[in-house]
């Protein structure tokens, strides 16, 4: 018998004798490459995320897929666990959407533009996680519609304004709001903050971007819905997380507490 055949037969015999152990080892440790220098187990959150991207009903460009995997891999354990639990393989319906990206709660689908998100000034892939924040909020039967959550945001804004007024010895609220608006000038750092402050102040504080007053006035729950989506995207954005803790510390802590309760149920 040739040496290789003899070697193969020994390996096959060992497999048969240790079938149970081999199956357990295989299930737990089969690995595949995500980037050139990273590999993950199939059962890890990153492995599940990669599988979800591959199984989406709409084809995802390789460059965009790699960007999303990279951003996910640097996300918090909490954010990753919630994402893979509640997001399904058919969450995306369009990746070349010509209008403002959005989540359609009637169809339970997300519309966005991958090319624009690849060149997102806040960081490539951020829009993907923001819109999936809306998707998860819906999957949880609108966990964002919470009076305590809204009250925390009101308190955060009140405290920040007062802190700002005292620090710069300002006399009026109008003066404070103009100054804070000027502070929110960096789209990379402040888009989410500017958007939420616009909503909570009826447009008195806004700089780089905002949904616009018509959006906020259309439905009172829009403000907490956007807060949830912005805070969820922060679980995959260290810079966004830092800014959210600066401007909305109490509400962000409350948001994380709600997610941790959900994570506890996943065990």
């Amino acid at each position: 018998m040739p040496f290789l055949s003899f070697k193969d037969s020994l390996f096959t015999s060992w497999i048969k004798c240790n079938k149970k152990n081999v199956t357990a080892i295989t299930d737990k440790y089969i690995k595949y490459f995500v980037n050139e220098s990273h590999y993950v187990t199939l059962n890890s959150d990153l492995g599940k995320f990669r599988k979800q991207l591959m199984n989406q009903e709409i084809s995802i460009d390789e460059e965009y897929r790699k960007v999303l995997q990279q951003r996910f891999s640097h996300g918090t354990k909490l954010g990753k666990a919630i994402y893979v639990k509640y997001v399904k393989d058919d969450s995306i319906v369009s990746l070349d959407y010509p209008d403002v990206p959005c989540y359609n709660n009637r169809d339970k689908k997300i519309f966005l533009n991958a090319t624009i998100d690849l060149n997102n000034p806040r960081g490539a892939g951020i829009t993907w996680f923001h819109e999936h924040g809306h998707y998860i909020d819906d999957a949880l039967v609108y966990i964002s519609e919470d009076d305590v959550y809204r009250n925390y945001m009101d308190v955060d804004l009140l405290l920040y304004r007062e802190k700002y007024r005292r620090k710069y010895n300002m006399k009026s609220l109008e003066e404070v709001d103009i100054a804070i608006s000027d502070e929110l000038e960096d789209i990379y750092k402040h888009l989410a903050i500017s958007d939420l402050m616009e909503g909570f102040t009826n447009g008195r504080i806004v700089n780089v971007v905002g949904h616009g007053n018509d959006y906020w006035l259309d439905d009172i729950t829009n403000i907490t819905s956007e807060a949830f989506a912005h805070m969820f995207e922060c679980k995959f954005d260290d810079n966004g997380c830092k800014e959210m803790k600066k401007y909305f510390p109490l509400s962000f802590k409350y948001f994380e507490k709600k997610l941790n309760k959900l994570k506890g149920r996943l065990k």
Side-chain angles (χ1 to χ4, degrees):
M1 178 184 292
F3 175 72
L4 284 178
S5 297
F6 175 70
K7 188 176 178 182
D8 289 344
S9 66
L10 286 177
F11 182 71
T12 302
S13 297
W14 184 86
I15 290 287
K16 289 179 179 178
C17 294
N18 297 273
K19 186 176 181 180
K20 187 174 181 180
N21 290 334
V22 169
T23 300
I25 292 171
T26 302
D27 286 345
K28 187 174 182 181
Y29 294 109
I30 290 177
K31 298 175 180 180
Y32 56 84
F33 284 92
V34 177
N35 295 316
E36 291 181 0
S37 60
H38 292 87
Y39 59 83
V40 295
T41 63
L42 288 172
N43 289 325
S44 71
D45 287 337
L46 180 55
K48 293 174 183 176
F49 178 72
R50 183 178 186 275
K51 183 179 178 181
Q52 284 185 352
L53 295 184
M54 298 295 290
N55 290 342
Q56 282 285 342
E57 293 181 350
I58 186 168
S59 178
I60 300 176
D61 177 78
E62 182 179 0
E63 181 183 4
Y64 190 44
R65 189 170 65 247
K66 286 182 177 180
V67 161
L68 296 175
Q69 290 173 186
Q70 183 76 1
R71 183 165 290 283
F72 186 91
S73 71
H74 288 90
T76 65
K77 291 182 179 180
L78 178 59
K80 289 187 281 191
I82 296 298
Y83 185 102
V84 298
K85 171 62 179 178
Y86 294 104
V87 175
K88 297 181 180 179
D89 296 344
D90 60 350
S91 61
I92 298 290
V93 73
S94 175
L95 285 174
D96 57 0
Y97 193 55
D99 209 337
V100 178
C102 63
Y103 169 69
N104 187 314
N105 59 7
R106 292 185 301 275
D107 302 327
K108 315 295 183 187
K109 304 289 184 182
I110 292 169
F111 298 76
L112 59 82
N113 189 299
T115 301
I116 293 175
D117 200 22
L118 272 171
N119 298 283
N120 197 322
R122 294 193 298 143
I126 281 289
T127 298
W128 176 282
F129 291 97
H130 177 87
E131 296 306 329
H132 278 91
H134 286 301
Y135 178 101
I136 291 168
D137 189 21
D138 188 2
L140 294 169
V141 196
Y142 290 100
I143 192 174
S144 65
E145 295 182 13
D146 179 344
D147 289 339
V148 175
Y149 187 33
R150 184 184 178 95
N151 289 340
Y152 271 127
M153 299 200 76
D154 283 328
V155 171
D156 278 332
L157 184 55
L158 178 66
L159 292 176
Y160 191 79
R161 279 166 145 174
E162 180 59 18
K163 177 182 177 181
Y164 205 95
R165 185 190 68 79
R166 293 189 179 192
K167 181 177 181 179
Y168 297 103
N169 194 29
M170 293 180 171
K171 304 300 182 182
S172 69
L173 182 61
E174 181 181 8
E175 189 179 7
V176 171
D177 288 349
I178 291 172
I180 294 175
S181 293
D182 291 340
E183 179 180 275
L184 305 177
E185 61 181 1
D186 188 341
I187 193 169
Y188 174 64
K189 294 168 59 177
H190 299 135
L191 184 145
I193 305 302
S194 176
D195 191 33
L196 295 180
M197 285 199 171
E198 179 196 51
F200 274 98
T201 64
N202 295 320
R204 291 191 296 274
I205 297 178
V206 66
N207 189 319
V208 290
V209 75
H211 273 83
N213 280 339
D214 288 344
Y215 175 74
W216 303 121
L217 295 173
D218 180 59
D219 187 337
I220 193 173
T221 65
N222 282 345
I223 184 63
T224 50
S225 171
E226 289 301 331
F228 185 93
H230 279 307
M231 290 183 183
F232 184 77
E233 79 190 37
C234 287
K235 307 314 290 180
F236 304 91
D237 177 21
D238 289 341
N239 180 73
C241 186
K242 179 181 177 181
E243 294 302 312
M244 198 64 72
K245 288 179 178 179
K246 174 183 176 180
Y247 291 95
F248 294 101
L250 297 176
S251 43
F252 191 59
K253 184 177 181 178
Y254 182 74
F255 164 83
E256 290 187 314
K257 182 178 179 181
K258 289 167 77 76
L259 289 195
N260 272 308
K261 284 184 178 179
L262 291 169
K263 184 183 177 184
R265 298 173 194 168
L266 304 183
K267 296 178 180 179

